[in-house]
Amino acid sequence: MTSYKDYTIATLGSHSALQILKGAKDEGFRTIAVCEKGRSEPYTSYKVADEIIEIDKFSDFFTIEEELKKRNAILIPHGSFVSYIGSEKVKDISMMHYGTRGILQWESDRMKSKEWLVDSGLNVPKIFDTPEEIDRPAIVKFHGAKGGMGYFVANTPDEFYDRIREYPEEKDYVIQEYIVGVPVYTHYFYSPINDELEIMSFDKRYESNADSIGRISAKDQLDANIRTSYTIVGNMPIVVRESMLPDFFAMGRRVVEKSRGLEGVGPAGLFGPFCLEAIVDPNLKLFVFEISARIVAGTNPYVDGSPYTWLRYDVPMSTGRRVARELKEAVEQDRLKEVLG
Amino acid sequence: MTSYKDYTIATLGSHSALQILKGAKDEGFRTIAVCEKGRSEPYTSYKVADEIIEIDKFSDFFTIEEELKKRNAILIPHGSFVSYIGSEKVKDISMMHYGTRGILQWESDRMKSKEWLVDSGLNVPKIFDTPEEIDRPAIVKFHGAKGGMGYFVANTPDEFYDRIREYPEEKDYVIQEYIVGVPVYTHYFYSPINDELEIMSFDKRYESNADSIGRISAKDQLDANIRTSYTIVGNMPIVVRESMLPDFFAMGRRVVEKSRGLEGVGPAGLFGPFCLEAIVDPNLKLFVFEISARIVAGTNPYVDGSPYTWLRYDVPMSTGRRVARELKEAVEQDRLKEVLG
Amino acid sequence: MTSYKDYTIATLGSHSALQILKGAKDEGFRTIAVCEKGRSEPYTSYKVADEIIEIDKFSDFFTIEEELKKRNAILIPHGSFVSYIGSEKVKDISMMHYGTRGILQWESDRMKSKEWLVDSGLNVPKIFDTPEEIDRPAIVKFHGAKGGMGYFVANTPDEFYDRIREYPEEKDYVIQEYIVGVPVYTHYFYSPINDELEIMSFDKRYESNADSIGRISAKDQLDANIRTSYTIVGNMPIVVRESMLPDFFAMGRRVVEKSRGLEGVGPAGLFGPFCLEAIVDPNLKLFVFEISARIVAGTNPYVDGSPYTWLRYDVPMSTGRRVARELKEAVEQDRLKEVLG
């Protein structure tokens, strides 16, 4: 029988790699950061990687897959991984990797993920099938997770056609009702090893310029003709009204249950870290506008644990460390296969 | 003589119960969460309750008071407790409960609390006695702490009458000058056991839609006719300019001193956790618009201690844990009566 | 050879003194807080000062310098220190003080600091030499770090002349292009003892009224003729998009390198804590609009360590504590002179 010490945790040096690698080290694993040339300084400075492997660009990942296999490495996918490798090519990975096979296809396709969320009984914003249907504020989002870059708001079909001209190369977008309310991102972890659903933490994104135009007076905004954009620059910690927690637990549970048997997903369904991205309106009604079926960067404020994980754990439990602990327990119980996609 | 281990800490499962129960456990107490049926998952998942007692709705609290007495439980009141039980019925509680008898009457009546704050030498926003007096931006707040739901802004008497029509059932409200500046909520703890006033932490609320309309461009706000609302969805951690701290300490001290001898309060006055809710304007002038005479949910980001408590304590000292420590010290010094209301 | 226990750490009781003193105590030093009369409560309440020395006002600092020398004290300068003593008088300090001699002259002069940043290859906002040149939104900043008080935005020369009339006493200002994007303040620490550059944390400021006018609907802002102001009231923790970290490291390194040999600075150049204040626009382009060549108050949320320092250190490493550790290591290696300005 193998020991968890025989395995190495590897991930791409970006997104949430610092906490993934730190968490793995804290749980006793060896770690590898796969970095783009000249961009490894964070991983050396913060001392989270036992080894750095450099490649020219992340899309060259497959050129070093064999090297990783030799080190008995388990790959942890994250948002940048999906974005750089492509959700289709994720299927070609032949090394051990953590997470549900096929689920990334569901999260990256906005129509499929909407179907999944609706089938789970969640409340979602309206999707406009054509620009002509826009009869209220709508946000236009491009396919592929480029960190929100290029998203725009349109109030009418005319405004849509006016704005979309700036993006001649973008053919693949979704037009979503814009819900007025505060964003709340819930970070879940579902363990098939102990059949428990945890809420690790919450965040709100820090977006440019969305989170700064409010600092400009309405008059100056109008004078300068300022429009909103949604490029993710970072994340801010929040806690939520405690009376809403039971509902957040219920939502996560339903999404996990419905994931079982989704096309291409398999009976295990969704497990590990995932995130429901929601807007809470002034009547406390929740609108879930996105699901991420892997670790999100919104967990990064909680490298040393969150106001929620400190309730349950007596060590600093980041989501990255929770992943490592899951792998450790899986190895120890000889159930590693169950958590590899 | 009794040991603190003979007591149990109980609270309603909502608001700030997670940190209250976690703090109690960390100080060595047994804990009970009183939950609404089907809404206990946070308290089991986060492992903070040794026992869960379920009731249909929180207003049924009195049906289980005897059960709590049998367990030698001390009840910790919080914002949801006051809101669900009603500040008048709080007087009918016959079990041990932490905090000042009668003070909740003062905090829940906006005119009485204004009087208390003014008598303490604090600067408060103007109150308009009638809608006709509105001659500048004013915020209209309903009686009872429903988490900010329904509050609105009116700039003129006409606008007031226009908006109030949406709330035909609300007869009891206050019209408060709207101060332009940043909200700062100061979390105090005053201990009569060691006669010390501490500042535990600060937060700002996360309100829907107030904290998100700034993400919508002025043009789009005007097009969609967006108005502000103030429903509390959560809290965000902040620290304050260090040079302001002596003033925050002085404000808290004066409020404590003035509370002694308030009608129905008794000579002990206000003690335990309380909060001054203030706006800081661009000249650093402070306007205190509310006082909470019990633990506030704004302390929830600090389950593992705050940037302030870590200065003074060498363990993670949440406000919830501070309450438990106070009870423990009171029991050990045979002074428990002094901190039960 | 001396031991670090022979030294005392002293600072003015304001700005970031709590973490400086707490950090010094944690590293084993004796500590002194120099406070204005009647304003020492934070330093006693939080138990960070072994001794409090009171003076009438901070500008009387030189009257107690001899006393500090008798205690073998090393002075840690911070933002309030520079502001109250004056960057010219800093040169007159004859006691031991931490940091680079002469660098504060560069940070406090906006034209000199711009030159330094540009020579370091950083991207900076345009400076308008005269009000007549204003052809886009511009922010007008007065000389001297009074915490942002009085800064204003002007879109045209006329608007500039209209607003400046409110500040008849201010002759010394800079007119800087207003970049629309989110503020990101990077907290660096460069150690000449081990020749390493660390990123300790990030924050955004909490400014009145800039961070609250977004809570007022555009319509109400226009009705009430609200203008933005930028008085610092506190700070909020953030983390940044991990893929940007290598660029933040590179920026800090170039600034340190370029500082060597700046007029009046000496060959050691900039060392210890410093901060680059930047705006990140929607294309992730960075504009650095200011440099602080000493500890900034934006590190105050991280008294117990930041999501970044917890990666590298196994104790809570605030920037204040990092300074103390540097001094300790310098003493132990008999290199103290290298870090005294």
Side-chain angles (χ1 to χ4, degrees):
Chain A
M1 187 167 154
T2 58
S3 153
Y4 70 90
K5 288 184 187 297
D6 301 328
Y7 296 89
T8 298
I9 300 293
T11 197
L12 296 193
S14 186
H15 191 270
S16 49
L18 286 168
Q19 63 159 304
I20 290 170
L21 299 173
K22 166 67 171 165
K25 281 183 80 75
D26 283 345
E27 290 294 317
F29 287 98
R30 234 189 132 259
T31 60
I32 298 174
V34 178
C35 295
E36 289 190 326
K37 272 207 182 82
R39 297 186 75 75
S40 60
E41 181 160 8
Y43 307 95
T44 48
S45 175
Y46 292 120
K47 302 179 189 295
V48 295
D50 292 312
E51 186 181 359
I52 306 269
I53 297 179
E54 290 197 322
I55 51 184
D56 282 334
K57 23 187 215 323
F58 284 136
S59 52
D60 292 344
F61 169 76
F62 288 99
T63 65
I64 53 120
E65 200 185 10
E66 282 308 311
E67 266 189 83
L68 293 174
K69 282 187 191 175
K70 276 185 215 150
R71 286 155 175 85
N72 209 30
I74 301 170
L75 182 72
I76 315 293
H78 51 50
S80 296
F81 184 83
V82 177
S83 168
Y84 286 113
I85 310 294
S87 63
E88 324 77 41
K89 286 210 181 148
V90 168
K91 286 179 296 186
D92 299 336
I93 296 169
S94 60
M95 68 181 288
M96 290 181 286
H97 77 283
Y98 176 70
T100 308
R101 190 170 290 275
I103 203 82
L104 296 174
Q105 297 273 312
W106 281 82
E107 72 145 45
S108 62
D109 181 321
R110 290 186 197 281
M111 297 314 293
K112 287 177 95 167
S113 63
K114 187 198 165 185
E115 184 191 325
W116 175 16
L117 295 172
V118 169
D119 285 351
S120 305
L122 270 50
N123 190 34
V124 303
K126 182 180 164 61
I127 302 283
F128 297 98
D129 292 328
T130 65
E132 280 66 28
E133 286 175 24
I134 300 176
D135 61 354
R136 70 195 87 171
I139 183 163
V140 181
K141 298 175 172 180
F142 300 121
H143 188 77
K146 283 177 195 156
M149 216 177 278
Y151 291 4
F152 66 86
V153 167
N155 297 287
T156 61
D158 283 358
E159 212 172 315
F160 172 86
Y161 287 113
D162 187 42
R163 295 297 305 272
I164 197 76
R165 261 183 296 162
E166 297 167 31
Y167 307 93
E169 76 291 355
E170 296 285 0
K171 303 291 170 207
D172 205 3
Y173 51 77
V174 69
I175 310 172
Q176 205 176 52
E177 179 187 8
Y178 184 93
I179 306 290
V180 179
V182 290
V184 170
Y185 293 63
T186 310
H187 316 140
Y188 295 94
F189 188 90
Y190 172 68
S191 163
I193 298 297
N194 62 23
D195 190 24
E196 274 199 283
L197 178 73
E198 299 170 48
I199 293 180
M200 307 298 290
S201 46
F202 298 87
D203 82 298
K204 79 174 286 303
R205 287 184 183 157
Y206 190 46
E207 294 169 342
S208 183
N209 61 15
D211 284 302
S212 64
I213 59 168
R215 294 167 47 91
I216 304 169
S217 72
K219 182 189 169 300
D220 285 340
Q221 282 192 47
L222 294 172
D223 286 354
N225 191 25
I226 288 179
R227 288 158 155 182
T228 315
S229 52
Y230 303 90
T231 305
I232 304 173
V233 172
N235 301 273
M236 305 181 81
I238 59 169
V239 297
V240 302
R241 195 170 170 144
E242 194 164 308
S243 57
M244 299 176 74
L245 282 178
D247 303 314
F248 282 113
F249 273 100
M251 284 164 52
R253 192 171 304 284
R254 291 204 300 271
V255 163
V256 168
E257 281 163 8
K258 270 295 157 194
S259 70
R260 291 168 187 152
L262 286 180
E263 195 199 321
V265 171
L270 171 68
F271 60 82
F274 66 101
C275 177
L276 291 178
E277 284 113 17
I279 301 293
V280 182
D281 84 1
N283 297 312
L284 295 181
K285 190 169 174 182
L286 279 147
F287 295 81
V288 178
F289 62 90
E290 215 166 299
I291 180 167
S292 300
R294 32 81 200 164
I295 190 170
V296 291
T299 61
N300 286 342
Y302 305 114
V303 160
D304 188 50
S306 82
Y308 298 91
T309 62
W310 279 112
L311 294 166
R312 184 181 161 118
Y313 294 98
D314 54 7
V315 295
M317 186 55 71
S318 68
T319 295
R321 183 168 183 174
R322 185 65 189 82
V323 168
R325 181 165 288 193
E326 183 82 348
L327 287 166
K328 191 169 160 181
E329 290 182 357
V331 171
E332 283 169 347
Q333 299 178 28
D334 206 12
R335 296 171 63 186
L336 183 59
K337 267 191 193 162
E338 294 176 37
V339 294
L340 300 183
Chain B
M1 190 167 152
T2 57
S3 153
Y4 69 90
K5 289 184 188 296
D6 300 328
Y7 296 90
T8 298
I9 300 292
T11 197
L12 296 194
S14 187
H15 192 270
S16 49
L18 286 169
Q19 63 159 303
I20 290 170
L21 299 173
K22 165 67 171 166
K25 281 183 79 76
D26 283 347
E27 291 294 317
F29 287 98
R30 232 189 132 258
T31 60
I32 298 174
V34 178
C35 296
E36 289 190 326
K37 270 205 183 83
R39 298 186 74 76
S40 61
E41 182 160 7
Y43 308 96
T44 48
S45 176
Y46 292 120
K47 301 178 188 296
V48 295
D50 292 312
E51 187 182 359
I52 306 268
I53 297 180
E54 291 196 322
I55 49 183
D56 281 333
K57 14 185 225 323
F58 283 135
S59 52
D60 292 343
F61 169 75
F62 288 99
T63 64
I64 53 119
E65 199 186 9
E66 282 308 311
E67 267 189 82
L68 293 173
K69 282 185 189 174
K70 277 184 216 151
R71 286 156 175 84
N72 209 30
I74 301 170
L75 182 72
I76 315 292
H78 51 50
S80 295
F81 184 82
V82 177
S83 168
Y84 287 112
I85 310 293
S87 64
E88 324 76 42
K89 287 211 181 148
V90 167
K91 286 179 296 186
D92 300 336
I93 296 170
S94 58
M95 68 181 289
M96 291 182 284
H97 77 283
Y98 176 71
T100 307
R101 189 169 290 275
I103 203 83
L104 297 174
Q105 297 273 313
W106 281 82
E107 72 145 45
S108 62
D109 181 321
R110 290 188 196 280
M111 296 314 292
K112 288 177 95 166
S113 62
K114 186 197 167 185
E115 185 191 324
W116 176 15
L117 295 172
V118 169
D119 285 350
S120 304
L122 270 50
N123 190 34
V124 302
K126 182 180 165 61
I127 302 283
F128 297 98
D129 292 328
T130 66
E132 280 65 28
E133 288 175 23
I134 300 175
D135 61 355
R136 70 195 88 170
I139 183 163
V140 181
K141 298 175 173 180
F142 300 122
H143 186 78
K146 282 176 195 156
M149 214 177 280
Y151 292 5
F152 65 87
V153 167
N155 297 288
T156 61
D158 282 358
E159 211 171 314
F160 172 86
Y161 286 113
D162 187 41
R163 295 294 308 271
I164 198 75
R165 262 183 292 161
E166 296 166 31
Y167 308 92
E169 76 291 354
E170 295 285 359
K171 303 293 169 206
D172 206 3
Y173 51 76
V174 70
I175 309 173
Q176 205 176 53
E177 179 187 8
Y178 185 94
I179 305 292
V180 179
V182 290
V184 170
Y185 293 64
T186 310
H187 315 141
Y188 295 94
F189 188 91
Y190 172 68
S191 164
I193 298 298
N194 62 23
D195 190 24
E196 273 199 284
L197 177 73
E198 300 170 46
I199 293 181
M200 307 298 291
S201 45
F202 299 87
D203 83 299
K204 78 175 286 302
R205 287 185 184 156
Y206 190 45
E207 294 168 341
S208 183
N209 60 14
D211 285 302
S212 64
I213 59 168
R215 295 167 47 92
I216 304 169
S217 72
K219 183 189 168 299
D220 285 340
Q221 282 191 47
L222 295 172
D223 287 354
N225 191 25
I226 287 179
R227 289 160 156 180
T228 315
S229 51
Y230 302 90
T231 305
I232 304 173
V233 172
N235 302 273
M236 306 181 79
I238 59 169
V239 297
V240 302
R241 194 169 172 143
E242 194 164 309
S243 57
M244 298 176 75
L245 282 178
D247 304 313
F248 282 112
F249 272 101
M251 284 164 52
R253 192 171 304 285
R254 291 203 301 270
V255 164
V256 168
E257 281 163 7
K258 270 294 156 194
S259 71
R260 291 170 187 152
L262 285 180
E263 195 200 320
V265 172
L270 172 67
F271 61 82
F274 66 100
C275 178
L276 292 178
E277 284 112 17
I279 301 294
V280 181
D281 84 1
N283 297 313
L284 295 181
K285 190 169 174 183
L286 279 147
F287 294 82
V288 178
F289 62 90
E290 215 167 300
I291 179 167
S292 300
R294 32 84 199 162
I295 190 170
V296 291
T299 60
N300 286 342
Y302 305 114
V303 159
D304 189 50
S306 82
Y308 298 91
T309 62
W310 280 112
L311 294 165
R312 184 181 161 117
Y313 293 98
D314 55 6
V315 295
M317 187 54 71
S318 68
T319 295
R321 183 169 183 174
R322 185 65 189 81
V323 168
R325 181 165 287 193
E326 183 81 349
L327 287 166
K328 191 170 159 180
E329 290 180 356
V331 170
E332 283 169 346
Q333 298 178 27
D334 206 13
R335 297 171 62 186
L336 184 58
K337 267 190 193 163
E338 294 176 36
V339 294
L340 300 183
Chain C
M1 187 167 155
T2 57
S3 152
Y4 70 90
K5 287 183 188 297
D6 301 329
Y7 295 90
T8 298
I9 300 293
T11 197
L12 295 194
S14 188
H15 191 270
S16 50
L18 286 168
Q19 63 160 304
I20 290 170
L21 300 173
K22 166 67 172 165
K25 281 184 79 74
D26 284 346
E27 290 294 317
F29 287 98
R30 233 190 132 257
T31 60
I32 297 174
V34 178
C35 295
E36 289 190 326
K37 271 206 182 83
R39 298 186 74 75
S40 61
E41 182 160 7
Y43 308 95
T44 48
S45 176
Y46 292 119
K47 303 177 188 295
V48 295
D50 292 314
E51 186 181 359
I52 307 268
I53 297 180
E54 290 197 322
I55 51 184
D56 282 334
K57 20 186 218 324
F58 284 136
S59 52
D60 292 343
F61 168 76
F62 288 99
T63 65
I64 52 118
E65 201 185 9
E66 282 308 310
E67 265 189 84
L68 293 174
K69 282 186 190 174
K70 278 183 214 150
R71 287 156 175 85
N72 210 31
I74 302 170
L75 182 72
I76 314 293
H78 51 51
S80 296
F81 184 83
V82 178
S83 168
Y84 287 112
I85 309 295
S87 63
E88 324 77 43
K89 288 211 181 146
V90 168
K91 286 179 295 188
D92 300 336
I93 296 169
S94 59
M95 67 180 289
M96 290 181 285
H97 77 283
Y98 177 70
T100 308
R101 190 170 290 275
I103 203 83
L104 296 175
Q105 297 272 312
W106 281 81
E107 72 145 44
S108 62
D109 182 321
R110 290 188 195 281
M111 297 315 293
K112 287 177 96 167
S113 62
K114 186 196 167 186
E115 184 190 324
W116 175 17
L117 295 173
V118 169
D119 285 352
S120 305
L122 270 49
N123 191 34
V124 303
K126 183 180 165 61
I127 302 282
F128 297 98
D129 292 328
T130 67
E132 281 65 30
E133 287 175 24
I134 300 176
D135 61 355
R136 70 195 87 170
I139 183 163
V140 181
K141 298 175 173 180
F142 299 121
H143 186 78
K146 283 178 196 155
M149 215 177 281
Y151 291 5
F152 64 86
V153 167
N155 297 287
T156 61
D158 282 356
E159 213 172 313
F160 172 85
Y161 287 113
D162 186 42
R163 295 295 307 271
I164 198 75
R165 261 183 293 162
E166 297 167 32
Y167 307 93
E169 76 291 356
E170 296 285 359
K171 303 292 169 206
D172 206 4
Y173 50 76
V174 70
I175 309 173
Q176 205 176 52
E177 178 187 9
Y178 184 93
I179 305 291
V180 179
V182 290
V184 170
Y185 293 64
T186 309
H187 316 141
Y188 295 93
F189 188 90
Y190 172 67
S191 164
I193 298 297
N194 62 23
D195 189 23
E196 273 199 285
L197 177 73
E198 299 170 47
I199 294 180
M200 307 298 289
S201 46
F202 298 87
D203 82 299
K204 79 175 284 304
R205 286 185 184 157
Y206 189 46
E207 294 168 341
S208 183
N209 61 15
D211 285 303
S212 63
I213 58 168
R215 294 167 47 90
I216 303 168
S217 72
K219 183 189 168 299
D220 285 340
Q221 283 191 47
L222 295 172
D223 287 353
N225 191 25
I226 288 179
R227 289 160 155 179
T228 315
S229 52
Y230 303 89
T231 305
I232 303 173
V233 172
N235 302 273
M236 305 180 81
I238 58 168
V239 296
V240 302
R241 195 171 171 143
E242 194 165 310
S243 57
M244 298 176 74
L245 282 179
D247 303 313
F248 282 112
F249 273 101
M251 284 164 52
R253 192 171 305 283
R254 291 205 300 271
V255 164
V256 168
E257 282 162 8
K258 269 295 156 193
S259 71
R260 291 169 188 151
L262 285 181
E263 195 200 320
V265 171
L270 171 67
F271 61 83
F274 66 100
C275 177
L276 292 178
E277 284 113 19
I279 301 293
V280 182
D281 85 0
N283 296 313
L284 295 180
K285 190 169 175 183
L286 279 148
F287 295 82
V288 178
F289 62 90
E290 214 166 301
I291 180 167
S292 300
R294 32 83 199 163
I295 189 169
V296 291
T299 60
N300 286 342
Y302 305 113
V303 159
D304 188 49
S306 82
Y308 298 92
T309 61
W310 279 113
L311 294 165
R312 184 181 161 118
Y313 294 98
D314 55 6
V315 296
M317 187 55 72
S318 68
T319 294
R321 184 169 182 174
R322 186 65 189 82
V323 168
R325 181 165 286 194
E326 184 82 348
L327 287 166
K328 191 170 159 180
E329 290 180 357
V331 171
E332 282 169 347
Q333 299 178 28
D334 206 12
R335 296 170 63 187
L336 183 58
K337 266 191 193 163
E338 293 176 37
V339 294
L340 299 183

